[in-house]
Amino acid sequence: MIKFLDLQKINAKYESELKQAAAAVIDSGWFLMGEKLANFEKELSQYIGCSNAIGVANGLDALRLILNAYIEMGVMSEGDEVIVPANTYIASLLAISDNNLVPVLVEPSAKSFNLDIDLIEKHITPKTKAIMVVHLYGQVCWSEDLVALAKKYKLKIIEDNAQAIGATWQGIKTGNLGDAAGFSFYPGKNLGALGDAGAVTTNDPALAEQVRALGNYGSKKKYVNEYQGLNSRLDEIQAAFLSVKLKYIDEENQHRRKLASLYLNGISHSDIQLPNPVNSNFNHDANPEHVWHLFVVRCKRRNDLQEYLTNNGIQTLIHYPIPPNKQLAYAEMNHLDFPLTNAIHDEVLSLPISPVLTVDEVGKVIAILNNFDR
């Protein structure tokens, strides 16, 4: 069986360092808001190239806290609108609605599956205050037109960078392109903790201070609570683990790019639509700006293809089977029609890709996939 993602094998590469990191935290007797967190925040901000990084409990909280901070700062008010891609994981929307803001869904690009920047302007109203771009599947969603649009309408750009740590746009890393960014370090991410974890990055010191306070019960000083905040703190042991794994992220992302290039150049089945990320060249070589958290293809007979691959020892997943506007959690949106988003969710299939997947294994996946129905 070729596993979709072998977390045991991934973490085994760093077993000794991870155990040393855990032992150091245990021996210190300090488990929250200590030296390990401070070190990781410094390392992350230096890696991303921004001035501030704040560790939080998970990726959803990272986005929630950014929006909450903007409300507390008077930049946004309840009922304001945030533009967000219709084709995204539900966490992007939950962060918006949890703050009593209104998610305004926009169709993605048929090529990249990322937010179609050309469609944004017609959805902007006087109540629009931000655009949330999602670097979906580890593919960069950015352009000069996006920046110009935000400037024209005085909008904040918030990056959902849960899947794209290490990706770059013209030499600048995602997480340092917009006004603020939310990261997830869920175990399966390119930079994965051994539990839930997340972070916020920004070059705005006032926003950073606000996020840090809101994630600590709304407190800047112990037992003095200025805001109705959350308990959303990145603990010492996960921070220590992440410091270990951050050292290897570029190497692992480069391996992902190599595997993606093999897929892009090797898959030839006429029923399989390959990803066509922004800035990829005409022979489908993997662009080094993207980090390929997922390698997602489309097939109108997706379920048949998945069954065929399973029967041939290849594990796949579907990201994601139901779009947010069709979820019961957003029943008020169930009537909205997003034809491309619906088609994508009906047709996408994620192939194995990871830092421990081998070239030979990818070759096997390609060979089996190209023989689908033959």
Side-chain angles (χ1 to χ4, degrees), residues 57-93:
N58 54 68
L60 172 56
D61 277 4
L63 297 174
R64 291 169 70 197
L65 287 164
I66 291 168
L67 293 168
N68 194 348
Y70 277 134
I71 290 173
E72 292 290 351
M73 294 167 68
V75 175
M76 301 177 189
S77 301
E78 292 186 4
D80 283 341
E81 297 171 351
V82 179
I83 288 172
V84 64
N87 175 45
T88 184
Y89 184 55
I90 198 169
S92 307
L93 275 71

Side-chain angles (χ1 to χ4, degrees), residues 169 243 301 334 341 358:
W169 175 266
S243 286
R301 296 174 55 209
N334 288 173
T341 292
T358 68

Side-chain angles (χ1 to χ4, degrees), residues 28-136:
S28 76
W30 196 287
F31 306 111
L32 285 170
M33 300 177 72
E35 179 183 337
K36 301 300 183 185
L37 174 59
N39 287 343
F40 174 67
E41 290 177 338
K42 181 179 179 181
E43 292 161 359
L44 180 63
S45 65
Q46 290 175 342
Y47 177 76
I48 297 299
C50 63
S51 57
N52 299 277
I54 306 98
V56 298
N58 54 68
L60 172 56
D61 277 4
L63 297 174
R64 291 169 70 197
L65 287 164
I66 291 168
L67 293 168
N68 194 348
Y70 277 134
I71 290 173
E72 292 290 351
M73 294 167 68
V75 175
M76 301 177 189
S77 301
E78 292 186 4
D80 283 341
E81 297 171 351
V82 179
I83 288 172
V84 64
N87 175 45
T88 184
Y89 184 55
I90 198 169
S92 307
L93 275 71
L94 290 172
I96 298 168
S97 56
D98 184 66
N99 281 288
N100 293 314
L101 300 167
V102 179
V104 176
L105 276 58
V106 175
E107 285 267 54
S109 160
K111 291 184 176 181
S112 69
F113 301 169
N114 270 327
L115 178 64
D116 191 332
I117 292 168
D118 292 337
L119 298 180
I120 292 175
E121 188 164 20
K122 69 179 183 180
H123 290 85
I124 295 174
T125 75
K127 294 189 75 64
T128 307
K129 292 297 188 294
I131 302 167
M132 183 179 289
V133 296
V134 181
H135 304 299
L136 195 65

Side-chain angles (χ1 to χ4, degrees), residues 250-371:
D250 285 339
E251 174 188 335
E252 294 191 347
N253 281 342
Q254 189 56 40
H255 184 69
R256 289 175 179 272
R257 293 181 182 116
K258 180 178 181 179
L259 300 184
S261 182
L262 293 173
Y263 276 138
L264 289 167
N265 288 290
I267 296 173
S268 59
H269 198 293
S270 58
D271 290 347
I272 309 300
Q273 180 180 332
L274 297 170
N276 186 12
V278 177
N279 283 354
S280 65
N281 57 27
F282 293 108
N283 69 359
H284 290 297
D285 282 342
N287 190 295
E289 293 176 340
H290 309 295
V291 293
W292 300 100
H293 170 59
L294 299 172
F295 190 91
V296 181
V297 300
R298 284 179 67 182
C299 180
K300 292 187 182 300
R301 296 174 55 209
R302 187 263 309 282
N303 294 341
D304 291 340
L305 177 61
Q306 185 175 42
E307 182 180 6
Y308 164 77
L309 291 172
T310 299
N311 291 339
N312 281 274
I314 298 168
Q315 188 179 49
T316 60
L317 291 179
I318 297 171
H319 296 87
Y320 304 95
I322 305 172
N325 68 292
K326 297 298 183 184
Q327 298 281 3
L328 182 59
Y330 286 99
E332 69 277 14
M333 293 185 180
N334 288 173
H335 69 285
L336 298 178
D337 186 27
F338 298 100
L340 179 55
T341 292
N342 293 339
I344 287 171
H345 285 258
D346 288 340
E347 297 173 9
V348 291
L349 187 66
S350 300
L351 303 181
I353 191 165
S354 81
V356 295
L357 193 69
T358 68
V359 167
D360 287 346
E361 286 173 323
V362 168
K364 182 178 179 180
V365 174
I366 292 169
I368 291 171
L369 196 152
N370 284 341
N371 280 303

Side-chain angles (χ1 to χ4, degrees), residues 127-241:
K127 294 189 75 64
T128 307
K129 292 297 188 294
I131 302 167
M132 183 179 289
V133 296
V134 181
H135 304 299
L136 195 65
Y137 311 149
Q139 297 176 182
V140 183
C141 180
W142 201 258
S143 77
E144 297 302 327
D145 290 342
L146 173 66
V147 176
L149 198 63
K151 185 176 181 180
K152 177 180 177 180
Y153 291 98
K154 299 180 180 178
L155 305 177
K156 298 294 185 184
I157 302 179
I158 300 166
E159 298 174 74
D160 182 338
N161 202 41
Q163 299 184 1
I165 185 168
T168 63
W169 175 266
Q170 296 182 356
I172 301 172
K173 285 189 170 68
T174 55
N176 193 29
L177 292 166
D179 294 285
F183 290 71
S184 169
F185 305 122
Y186 179 78
K189 294 297 195 292
N190 289 32
L191 179 64
L194 274 66
D196 272 324
V200 171
T201 59
T202 182
N203 287 305
D204 182 344
L207 179 68
E209 182 181 29
Q210 194 77 48
V211 166
R212 194 177 294 280
L214 287 167
N216 186 36
Y217 297 96
S219 173
K220 298 176 184 177
K221 181 180 179 181
K222 193 170 185 179
Y223 301 134
V224 179
N225 301 84
E226 299 178 40
Y227 316 100
Q228 296 180 15
L230 306 173
N231 174 15
S232 183
R233 301 176 296 195
L234 176 59
D235 65 68
E236 287 286 281
I237 202 160
Q238 296 301 340
F241 290 153

